[in-house]
Amino acid sequence: MKPEIPRIPQATTKRLPLYYRFLQSFHNAGHKRVSSQELSEAMKIDSATIRRDFSHFGALGKKGYGYDVPTLLEFFRKTLDQDEAANVALIGVGSLGTAFLKYNFQKNHNTKIVVAFDTKAPVEGTTISDIPVYHSSVMLEKLEEYGIELVIFTLPSRAAQQVADQLEASSIKGILNFTPIRLQTTDAIRVHTIDLSVELQTLIYLIRNELTE
């Protein structure tokens, strides 16, 4: 059963998959226990931040001992629903969308793109990287057929809000948005936006700022 999760800061939430990934590495290397300092050195995250993140979930470790790797790995596996497969749909099969279809979360076995949509695809469907791609006109029907709750937006910006509006009539609960548009949705759909240009500009600023300090 998935453990009850308290309300935690968004920054902590974003680090949870990273903790799980690095704990898997420690486990695969045969480590039975790990300290916050060891995690800090591996992940390049301040050890105080790690301890603060973990404190949101109660007593996960013991003072003077650290953290039991198998126990902690099992906790994060259940917290992140690693036992439950998450089938995802991709909307917009341009250059970025095609790259996603080829990659298809190869290192994350419980998450995969199972269907895609594009305005240039045939209604009866075609196949790219072994994934069926249908015309956008049958999107709502196919989302229901495949039981999709999560979608990735890699479509043109001009169409993003219109498609988001269409999804209000579906069972979609989340959108990973790679367009620069700030989507407006009801509370039924959670949107996580990754604007690559903003991320790059932020990185450039940080680099230049560090150089001038």
Side-chain angles (χ1 to χ4, degrees):
M1 187 173 101
K2 182 179 177 181
E4 183 178 347
I5 302 176
R7 293 185 65 86
I8 61 176
Q10 186 174 0
T12 298
T13 302
K14 290 182 177 181
R15 286 189 286 268
L16 298 185
L18 291 176
Y19 290 136
Y20 181 70
R21 181 184 302 172
F22 277 88
L23 285 166
Q24 281 184 310
S25 297
F26 277 103
H27 184 265
N28 293 339
H31 292 268
K32 297 298 182 183
R33 64 178 179 174
V34 63
S35 67
S36 58
Q37 185 59 41
E38 288 173 317
L39 273 174
S40 172
E41 292 173 358
M43 300 179 65
K44 310 304 180 189
I45 296 176
D46 184 72
S47 59
T49 298
I50 294 174
R51 290 193 295 271
R52 184 169 59 251
D53 284 347
F54 286 8
S55 70
H56 292 294
F57 301 96
L60 297 180
K62 298 178 181 178
K63 189 174 182 179
Y65 178 86
Y67 302 98
D68 182 80
V69 171
T71 300
L72 201 57
L73 187 62
E74 176 70 7
F75 173 81
F76 280 112
R77 181 178 62 80
K78 290 182 178 179
T79 299
L80 293 168
D81 275 341
Q82 292 298 299
D83 291 331
E84 184 175 345
N87 291 334
V88 180
L90 183 135
I91 302 176
V93 189
S95 298
L96 181 57
T98 300
F100 267 109
L101 294 183
K102 290 180 179 178
Y103 171 67
N104 202 7
F105 304 100
Q106 294 174 13
K107 294 183 179 180
N108 192 343
H109 300 299
N110 78 317
T111 303
K112 62 180 179 179
I113 300 170
V114 296
V115 66
F117 304 95
D118 192 272
T119 55
K120 295 181 180 179
V123 173
E124 65 274 14
T126 185
T127 301
I128 299 177
S129 298
D130 296 325
I131 298 169
V133 181
Y134 296 96
H135 190 272
S136 301
S137 62
V138 296
M139 178 180 66
L140 295 182
E141 172 190 340
K142 292 297 181 181
L143 288 174
E144 185 71 23
E145 179 182 327
Y146 281 84
I148 303 295
E149 293 183 335
L150 303 172
V151 299
I152 300 173
F153 270 21
T154 49
L155 70 171
S157 299
R158 63 182 180 275
Q161 185 59 57
Q162 180 182 357
V163 175
D165 292 342
Q166 291 177 327
L167 293 178
E168 297 286 0
S170 72
S171 58
I172 294 300
K173 296 180 179 179
I175 300 172
L176 181 60
N177 176 33
F178 278 89
T179 78
I181 302 301
R182 295 296 170 179
L183 299 173
Q184 301 297 316
T185 63
T186 64
D187 292 339
I189 300 179
R190 180 180 292 273
V191 179
H192 183 63
T193 298
I194 300 176
D195 189 328
L196 297 178
S197 63
V198 170
E199 297 295 335
L200 183 58
Q201 289 171 344
T202 301
L203 179 59
I204 291 172
Y205 169 79
L206 291 172
I207 291 172
R208 291 176 177 172
N209 190 56
E210 289 174 357
L211 291 176
T212 56
E213 286 182 352

